[in-house]
Short mmCIF file of all heavy atoms in Angstrom, two decimals:
data_model
loop_
_atom_site.label_atom_id
_atom_site.label_comp_id
_atom_site.label_asym_id
_atom_site.label_seq_id
_atom_site.Cartn_x
_atom_site.Cartn_y
_atom_site.Cartn_z
N ALA A 212 -21.43 17.62 4.52
CA ALA A 212 -21.24 16.38 3.74
C ALA A 212 -21.10 16.68 2.26
O ALA A 212 -20.27 16.07 1.56
CB ALA A 212 -22.40 15.42 4.00
N ILE A 213 -21.92 17.58 1.75
CA ILE A 213 -21.84 17.94 0.33
C ILE A 213 -20.48 18.56 0.01
O ILE A 213 -19.87 18.24 -1.01
CB ILE A 213 -23.00 18.90 -0.03
CG1 ILE A 213 -24.34 18.14 0.02
CG2 ILE A 213 -22.79 19.51 -1.41
CD1 ILE A 213 -25.55 19.04 -0.07
N GLU A 214 -19.99 19.41 0.90
CA GLU A 214 -18.67 20.01 0.67
C GLU A 214 -17.56 18.97 0.75
O GLU A 214 -16.61 18.99 -0.05
CB GLU A 214 -18.42 21.13 1.68
CG GLU A 214 -17.07 21.83 1.57
CD GLU A 214 -16.85 22.53 0.23
OE1 GLU A 214 -17.78 22.62 -0.59
OE2 GLU A 214 -15.71 23.01 0.01
N ILE A 215 -17.67 18.03 1.67
CA ILE A 215 -16.66 16.96 1.77
C ILE A 215 -16.68 16.10 0.51
O ILE A 215 -15.62 15.71 -0.01
CB ILE A 215 -16.89 16.12 3.04
CG1 ILE A 215 -16.52 16.94 4.28
CG2 ILE A 215 -16.09 14.82 3.00
CD1 ILE A 215 -16.90 16.30 5.60
N ALA A 216 -17.87 15.79 -0.01
CA ALA A 216 -17.96 15.02 -1.26
C ALA A 216 -17.32 15.79 -2.42
O ALA A 216 -16.63 15.20 -3.27
CB ALA A 216 -19.41 14.71 -1.58
N ARG A 217 -17.51 17.10 -2.45
CA ARG A 217 -16.90 17.92 -3.51
C ARG A 217 -15.38 17.90 -3.40
O ARG A 217 -14.66 17.70 -4.39
CB ARG A 217 -17.41 19.36 -3.43
CG ARG A 217 -16.91 20.25 -4.57
CD ARG A 217 -17.10 21.72 -4.25
NE ARG A 217 -16.23 22.16 -3.17
CZ ARG A 217 -14.93 22.44 -3.30
NH1 ARG A 217 -14.33 22.29 -4.48
NH2 ARG A 217 -14.23 22.83 -2.26
N ILE A 218 -14.87 18.10 -2.17
CA ILE A 218 -13.42 18.09 -1.96
C ILE A 218 -12.84 16.74 -2.34
O ILE A 218 -11.80 16.65 -2.99
CB ILE A 218 -13.11 18.43 -0.49
CG1 ILE A 218 -13.48 19.89 -0.18
CG2 ILE A 218 -11.63 18.19 -0.17
CD1 ILE A 218 -13.41 20.25 1.30
N ALA A 219 -13.51 15.67 -1.93
CA ALA A 219 -13.01 14.31 -2.19
C ALA A 219 -12.84 14.06 -3.69
O ALA A 219 -11.89 13.40 -4.11
CB ALA A 219 -13.94 13.28 -1.59
N ARG A 220 -13.74 14.58 -4.48
CA ARG A 220 -13.66 14.38 -5.93
C ARG A 220 -12.77 15.40 -6.62
O ARG A 220 -12.43 15.24 -7.80
CB ARG A 220 -15.06 14.42 -6.55
CG ARG A 220 -15.94 13.23 -6.17
CD ARG A 220 -17.19 13.21 -7.04
NE ARG A 220 -16.83 13.09 -8.46
CZ ARG A 220 -17.55 13.60 -9.46
NH1 ARG A 220 -18.69 14.25 -9.18
NH2 ARG A 220 -17.17 13.47 -10.71
N GLY A 221 -12.40 16.46 -5.90
CA GLY A 221 -11.54 17.48 -6.50
C GLY A 221 -12.20 18.23 -7.62
O GLY A 221 -11.58 18.52 -8.64
N ILE A 222 -13.49 18.58 -7.44
CA ILE A 222 -14.25 19.23 -8.50
C ILE A 222 -14.81 20.56 -8.02
O ILE A 222 -14.80 20.87 -6.82
CB ILE A 222 -15.41 18.33 -9.01
CG1 ILE A 222 -16.38 18.01 -7.86
CG2 ILE A 222 -14.85 17.05 -9.62
CD1 ILE A 222 -17.60 17.21 -8.29
N SER A 223 -15.33 21.34 -8.94
CA SER A 223 -15.93 22.64 -8.61
C SER A 223 -17.34 22.46 -8.07
O SER A 223 -17.95 21.39 -8.23
CB SER A 223 -15.96 23.53 -9.85
OG SER A 223 -16.85 22.98 -10.81
N HIS A 224 -17.87 23.53 -7.49
CA HIS A 224 -19.26 23.50 -7.03
C HIS A 224 -20.21 23.29 -8.21
O HIS A 224 -21.21 22.58 -8.09
CB HIS A 224 -19.60 24.80 -6.30
CG HIS A 224 -18.91 24.95 -4.99
ND1 HIS A 224 -19.33 24.32 -3.84
CD2 HIS A 224 -17.79 25.66 -4.64
CE1 HIS A 224 -18.51 24.62 -2.83
NE2 HIS A 224 -17.58 25.44 -3.28
N GLU A 225 -19.87 23.91 -9.33
CA GLU A 225 -20.73 23.79 -10.52
C GLU A 225 -20.76 22.36 -11.04
O GLU A 225 -21.83 21.85 -11.40
CB GLU A 225 -20.25 24.75 -11.61
CG GLU A 225 -20.41 26.23 -11.30
CD GLU A 225 -19.38 26.75 -10.30
OE1 GLU A 225 -18.35 26.07 -10.08
OE2 GLU A 225 -19.61 27.84 -9.74
N GLN A 226 -19.61 21.71 -11.05
CA GLN A 226 -19.58 20.33 -11.51
C GLN A 226 -20.33 19.41 -10.55
O GLN A 226 -21.04 18.49 -10.98
CB GLN A 226 -18.13 19.84 -11.67
CG GLN A 226 -18.02 18.44 -12.29
CD GLN A 226 -16.60 18.03 -12.57
OE1 GLN A 226 -15.67 18.85 -12.49
NE2 GLN A 226 -16.39 16.76 -12.89
N LEU A 227 -20.19 19.66 -9.25
CA LEU A 227 -20.92 18.86 -8.26
C LEU A 227 -22.42 18.98 -8.48
O LEU A 227 -23.15 17.98 -8.38
CB LEU A 227 -20.57 19.32 -6.84
CG LEU A 227 -21.26 18.51 -5.74
CD1 LEU A 227 -20.53 17.20 -5.49
CD2 LEU A 227 -21.37 19.32 -4.45
N ASP A 228 -22.89 20.19 -8.79
CA ASP A 228 -24.32 20.39 -9.01
C ASP A 228 -24.83 19.69 -10.26
O ASP A 228 -26.03 19.50 -10.42
CB ASP A 228 -24.63 21.89 -9.10
CG ASP A 228 -24.48 22.58 -7.75
OD1 ASP A 228 -24.36 21.88 -6.73
OD2 ASP A 228 -24.47 23.82 -7.72
#
Side-chain angles (χ1 to χ4, degrees):
I213 290 169
E214 179 62 7
I215 289 171
R217 185 196 68 78
I218 292 171
R220 291 192 60 210
I222 60 176
S223 66
H224 291 281
E225 292 75 17
Q226 186 174 350
L227 181 81
D228 290 348

